Amino acid sequence: LERVLAVPGKIHRPQLAPLLPALFQALFAVIDGALAKGGDAPWENEYVMKAVMRLLVVGQADVVPHAAVVTEKLCASLGRVCANPRNPKFNHYLFESLAVLVRVCCEANRDATATFEGLLFPPFQSVLQMDVVEFAPYVFQILALLLGYRAPRSGLGDAYAALLPPLLHPSLWERRGNVPALAALLEAYLVAGPDQILAAGQLEPMLGVFQKLLASKASEGHAFGLLKSLVVHVPQANLGGCVPTVLQLLLTRLQQNRDRLSYCHNLLAFLGLLAGKHGAPQLVAKLDAQQPGLLPQLVVHVLAPHVLGEAAAFASAVDAKAAAVGAVKLLAEAPDALTPNGDTSAWSCLGSVLFALLKRL
């Protein structure tokens, strides 16, 4: 069943929809039958759970009418595996099934988010309290997904607010497997509840996480993602005082990574976002505070060479747009900073960068 469903175009949603109730019933009956035997016999059938996941993937919105039954079965399995995780493949497909179900149901009806939060928070809190290492990344991934369905600045609620301080603890970030999902979760926090984060004094710990992520090539992309979320969602009045320290950290790391395309693209996108949100004159002033006349040097010797090459397309279209916006702001609002002593080479270079970016968008 799973293999047939995995073949693109073999089974279409309209063909599958009327069969969903019987298929879910048959699949979960296998697990229920194994549990009914009792004892220590394994009940975690990885093939059954993979087939459930595939049904959810292929069925999409057609599974919504059956979501209550499927959620009940998946949550029951989740409670059992949290107490005794034995089969990694079964556990993987279980969490992937939950993630697909959350995405499908919440896309169809945002009000379903609160229902899933009520069902999933208790077992998720147990996972984190018991420090079930292999489950933590899945939990962070699904929490980020749920939080992402809340309206921007709608607030966190007590459960998410209580969870945030432990998420910022350095020990969680030491485990590399946690980093992608944890970083996405923190970005979701910034979208939903920046005011609560500021009121709770959590901005500085978040910047500490950024600094830790920036120190490693493997995690620096997540560092920039978190940093850009901070710029977008935290008011300038609250973030402005931290920008000089952030720039110092970025420029220090640039000295060792100035020839690396990905780092220079990330840096250019961040500077563009900062110019777009806070204004070009403010960005120039903060760069000059690091080193007088720094902007023209950065443009000519570091940033432009990494954009104007034939193979220098940005990995992310959003980053390319941020860089283009920043270039427009700098060219229009701070031309004097780009033409020191009448030298227009930096202004011309940045104009060429803007042209290259717009050509590729």
Side-chain angles (χ1 to χ4, degrees):
L1 173 64
E2 189 276 327
R3 288 288 83 200
V4 170
L5 291 172
V7 177
K10 191 73 173 178
I11 301 291
H12 299 282
R13 274 180 57 187
Q15 296 171 288
L16 185 63
L19 304 175
L20 285 172
L23 288 172
F24 281 128
Q25 183 179 5
L27 288 168
F28 286 119
V30 176
I31 294 176
D32 292 340
L35 285 168
K37 295 178 182 178
D40 292 329
W43 58 273
E44 303 98 325
N45 189 315
E46 65 198 65
Y47 303 102
V48 165
M49 193 52 67
K50 190 176 184 182
V52 169
M53 180 197 72
R54 191 68 64 186
L55 279 178
L56 294 168
V57 170
V58 177
Q60 291 296 309
D62 293 331
V63 307
V64 172
H66 319 292
V69 173
V70 177
T71 303
E72 179 187 352
K73 293 292 187 181
L74 293 178
C75 287
S77 292
L78 178 60
R80 288 190 290 268
V81 299
C82 286
N84 184 17
R86 298 185 297 188
N87 185 328
K89 290 185 178 180
F90 177 89
N91 299 335
H92 171 78
Y93 295 128
L94 170 60
F95 278 103
E96 288 298 322
S97 296
L98 282 169
V100 175
L101 188 62
V102 167
R103 184 179 291 109
V104 167
C105 292
C106 293
E107 287 286 349
N109 178 14
R110 294 295 178 102
D111 293 338
T113 305
T115 302
F116 278 109
E117 288 172 346
L119 290 168
L120 296 178
F121 252 97
F124 282 2
Q125 286 172 327
S126 297
V127 168
L128 299 178
Q129 288 167 1
M130 293 187 295
D131 197 23
V132 186
V133 175
E134 62 266 39
F135 288 178
Y138 296 116
V139 168
F140 299 141
Q141 176 191 6
I142 296 174
L143 287 174
L145 190 62
L146 285 168
L147 196 52
Y149 285 111
R150 293 195 170 205
R153 308 189 83 91
S154 60
L156 298 174
D158 294 340
Y160 284 110
L163 186 60
L164 182 56
L167 295 180
L168 297 171
H169 196 278
S171 62
L172 277 181
W173 298 87
E174 294 292 341
R175 300 169 184 161
R176 292 180 60 181
N178 286 348
V179 169
L182 261 180
L185 181 53
L186 287 193
E187 291 180 39
Y189 265 91
L190 285 165
V191 175
D195 298 331
Q196 287 173 268
I197 290 170
L198 292 171
Q202 301 293 355
L203 178 58
E204 188 172 341
M206 280 199 170
L207 288 167
V209 169
F210 153 73
Q211 184 175 357
K212 180 174 181 60
L213 295 176
L214 185 68
S216 167
K217 181 180 177 181
S219 59
E220 71 181 20
H222 301 297
F224 276 104
L226 179 58
L227 186 57
K228 286 179 280 191
S229 290
L230 285 164
V231 172
V232 170
H233 300 291
V234 175
Q236 181 180 349
N238 300 99
L239 188 64
C242 307
V243 171
T245 303
V246 168
L247 287 174
Q248 184 180 11
L249 292 169
L250 293 174
L251 294 170
T252 300
R253 188 155 176 81
L254 176 65
Q255 293 174 1
Q256 303 154 346
N257 295 272
R258 61 180 296 162
D259 295 326
R260 193 151 53 81
L261 189 68
S262 61
Y263 186 86
C264 291
H265 279 186
N266 276 320
L267 178 61
L268 180 56
F270 167 69
L271 294 176
L273 188 62
L274 203 60
K277 290 289 290 186
H278 295 182
Q282 292 223 34
L283 174 59
V284 171
K286 287 181 169 61
L287 288 173
D288 281 344
Q290 300 291 323
Q291 179 185 320
L294 179 58
L295 178 62
Q297 296 178 47
L298 278 176
V299 169
V300 174
H301 300 295
V302 180
L303 302 178
H306 289 89
V307 177
L308 299 178
E310 286 298 322
F314 276 65
S316 162
V318 174
D319 282 353
K321 290 177 182 179
V325 168
V328 170
K329 298 282 280 187
L330 287 166
L331 289 167
E333 296 179 1
D336 293 343
L338 292 165
T339 54
N341 302 317
D343 182 359
T344 61
S345 55
W347 198 96
S348 299
C349 267
L350 192 56
S352 299
V353 166
L354 176 60
F355 180 78
L357 290 168
L358 292 176
K359 189 176 178 180
R360 292 171 186 155
L361 286 174

